Amino acid sequence: MKLKKTDILKALEKISAPGEGQNLVESGAVTNVQVFGDEVEVDVTIKNPSLQAKKKTEVEILKCIHREVYEKAKIKVNLKVDAPAQPKVNQIKGNPIPGIQNIIAVASGKGGVGKSTVTANIAVTLAKMGFKVGLLDTDIYGPSMPIMFDVATEKPLSINVDGKAKMKPIENYGVKLLSIGFFTQPNQAVIWRGPMAAKALNQMIFDAHWGELDFLLLDLPPGTGDIHLSIMQSLPVTGAVVVSTPQEIALADARKGVAMFQQEAISVPVLGIVENMAYFTPAELPDHKYHIFGENGAKNLSEDLGVPFLGEIPLVQSIREAGDIGRPAALQTATPTEEAFEELTKNVVQELVRRNTDLPPTEAIKITTMAGCSAVKKK
C-alpha cells in the first residue's frame, strides 16, 4: 500500500508534544516525514530530555500511524532532544527561602569550643562589610544568641506578608535574628523529642519573613544528631564551617563533624575549619603566645582532611566579656580581635565564592532510610 505524507501529518496532529500545549506538528517538533510505499520515516525533535518523554513520544507515533493510517506500516522514528540551555546561576534548590542567596551552617562536633561566639562574630562582621545577614539559632535546647546580641527580652512580632502571618526576626547590629530563646522563659528548660524540635525549627525557617539576605548563618547545636539532619532535610545548605579548639579531644569530634557533612547522603561542601582559642597572649606580654589547648591542632586537621583552614581566633578575655554583655567582640574597632574576625570572615566568603563557582547548587537532602547516615559504611 502506498501511503501519503499528508495522512501521516494529519495523524501526528493528534499527538501532544511532551510538556507543551501544542501537538507535534503545530509545535514544529516534526521536522521531516518521508514516505516510501508502506514505509514511513519520521524525524522528531522534542524539548523534554527525560527518558520517559522520549519513549512515550516514540510509542505514540507508532500507535497513531498504525491506527489512523495503516496498521501494517513500517515506521522508523528518528527522535532528537533539543533541551534549552539552562543559565548557570547559583540558585537554591530543594525548599528555598525566597530572597536568601547563601545558607552557611556553623557546626562543631563538641560543645564548649566557642561555635556560637564565632558564628555571632562572623555575622556582625559580614554586616559591617555591607552584606544583608540573618542568623538562625538552631540550638533548641541551649539557645545563646539572644544574650550574645543583647536582645534576650525581645519578642518577634507577627506581620502580614501577602496575606499570611509571618514572624518578623529581631534585628541588632545589622543582623536579623531568630531563636527559640525568644519564645521561652530564661529559667525554662526545653524538653522536647526530636519531631517537636524539628517542627519548631521549620516554623522559624519557613514562617519567618527574612526578606532579602546575602547570608543566612545557621548556628547548629554541638554533635551530629537529629537537629542537624532536620536542618539539612529542610534547607539546601550552601556550605558548612566547622569550629574546633586545638585540643585533641575537640579535634576528634571536629573530624566527625566534617565527616557528617561529607556523608554521601548529605554531601554539603565544607568551606573549612576554624581554630578557636588558638593561643593566649597576656596584655603585658603582647609578643608572647601561650598555646593552652595545644598548637596548630585544627590547622593540621584541615590539612589531613583536605579542607581549607579558615583562620585562628585567639583566647581573649574581651571576646568572652563581649558575648556576655551582648555586643560581639568583632564590633571593637581597631583591635587585634576585630582583625582576627575580619580575616576569618574574608576567608569564609572567599571559600564560598569558590564553592559557588566550582560546584552545583546544594539540594535539600532526601533521607528515606538511615543507610546513608550509618556509622559504618557497608561495602
Side-chain angles (χ1 to χ4, degrees), residues 283-338:
E284 63 275 13
L285 298 170
D287 296 328
H288 287 64
K289 290 183 178 180
Y290 295 91
H291 296 90
I292 297 173
F293 295 108
E295 186 173 0
N296 293 327
K299 187 175 183 179
N300 294 334
L301 177 63
S302 68
E303 293 176 358
D304 183 38
L305 297 178
V307 299
F309 179 66
L310 297 173
E312 57 184 22
I313 303 298
L315 177 60
V316 180
Q317 182 175 335
S318 64
I319 295 179
R320 189 273 303 166
E321 292 173 340
D324 285 348
I325 65 170
R327 184 177 170 81
L331 296 172
Q332 301 168 2
T333 57
T335 63
T337 298
E338 181 192 39

Side-chain angles (χ1 to χ4, degrees), residues 226-240:
D226 190 55
I227 294 295
H228 302 74
L229 288 179
S230 296
I231 284 288
M232 288 179 285
Q233 281 182 293
S234 300
L235 289 173
V237 179
T238 314

Side-chain angles (χ1 to χ4, degrees), residues 22-23 77 81 100 158 186 218 253 273 305 316 351 374:
Q22 298 174 307
N23 62 55
V77 179
V81 175
I100 296 181
S158 176
L218 307 176
D253 290 332
I273 298 176
L305 297 178
V316 180
E351 291 302 325
S374 58

Side-chain angles (χ1 to χ4, degrees), residues 6 17 41 48 54 62 70 89-90 95 107 122 185 187 192 244 286 321 325 379:
T6 54
E41 188 167 342
N48 191 328
K54 291 188 286 185
L62 296 174
Y70 182 46
V89 291
N90 293 311
N95 295 313
I122 290 176
Q185 297 301 317
N187 59 348
W192 290 344
S244 178
E321 292 173 340
I325 65 170
K379 296 183 178 179

Side-chain angles (χ1 to χ4, degrees), residues 68-338:
E68 301 291 334
V69 184
Y70 182 46
E71 63 180 358
K72 295 183 180 180
K74 300 172 185 176
I75 306 167
K76 181 181 180 183
V77 179
N78 302 316
L79 198 147
K80 294 182 180 180
V81 175
D82 183 21
Q86 297 295 323
K88 184 180 179 182
V89 291
N90 293 311
Q91 62 183 2
I92 298 176
K93 295 185 178 179
N95 295 313
I97 307 175
I100 296 181
Q101 300 304 312
N102 299 283
I103 301 175
I104 301 177
V106 184
S108 67
K110 183 178 180 61
V113 298
K115 167 189 52 60
S116 294
T117 298
V118 169
T119 307
N121 281 281
I122 290 176
V124 297
T125 303
L126 285 169
K128 282 168 59 181
M129 290 177 176
F131 293 109
K132 297 175 182 177
V133 186
L135 199 166
L136 176 61
D137 185 357
T138 72
D139 194 344
I140 296 295
Y141 307 107
S144 54
M145 288 302 169
I147 294 174
M148 288 188 173
F149 278 80
D150 193 25
V151 288
T153 59
E154 300 286 338
K155 299 294 180 186
L157 298 175
S158 176
I159 59 174
N160 188 291
V161 180
D162 298 328
K164 296 181 180 179
K166 295 278 187 178
M167 283 183 284
K168 182 182 180 181
I170 301 298
E171 186 168 349
N172 202 11
Y173 310 125
V175 178
K176 295 180 179 180
L177 178 69
L178 273 182
S179 169
I180 196 67
F182 292 134
F183 306 99
T184 59
Q185 297 301 317
N187 59 348
Q188 179 183 354
V190 178
I191 309 173
W192 290 344
R193 293 189 182 273
M196 187 69 175
K199 183 178 180 181
L201 278 175
N202 275 329
Q203 286 182 315
M204 287 195 293
I205 293 169
F206 296 108
D207 292 345
H209 181 58
W210 291 99
E212 297 289 328
L213 294 181
D214 297 305
F215 298 96
L216 176 64
L217 302 184
L218 307 176
D219 182 35
L220 297 179
T224 55
D226 190 55
I227 294 295
H228 302 74
L229 288 179
S230 296
I231 284 288
M232 288 179 285
Q233 281 182 293
S234 300
L235 289 173
V237 179
T238 314
V241 171
V242 177
V243 180
S244 178
T245 64
Q247 187 178 6
E248 191 59 42
I249 293 175
L251 294 171
D253 290 332
R255 184 184 294 270
K256 296 173 186 175
V258 172
M260 173 187 69
F261 291 112
Q262 292 179 338
Q263 279 269 354
E264 186 177 350
I266 295 175
S267 193
V268 169
V270 177
L271 302 177
I273 298 176
V274 180
E275 184 168 273
N276 193 31
M277 306 183 212
Y279 57 85
F280 171 69
T281 297
E284 63 275 13
L285 298 170
D287 296 328
H288 287 64
K289 290 183 178 180
Y290 295 91
H291 296 90
I292 297 173
F293 295 108
E295 186 173 0
N296 293 327
K299 187 175 183 179
N300 294 334
L301 177 63
S302 68
E303 293 176 358
D304 183 38
L305 297 178
V307 299
F309 179 66
L310 297 173
E312 57 184 22
I313 303 298
L315 177 60
V316 180
Q317 182 175 335
S318 64
I319 295 179
R320 189 273 303 166
E321 292 173 340
D324 285 348
I325 65 170
R327 184 177 170 81
L331 296 172
Q332 301 168 2
T333 57
T335 63
T337 298
E338 181 192 39

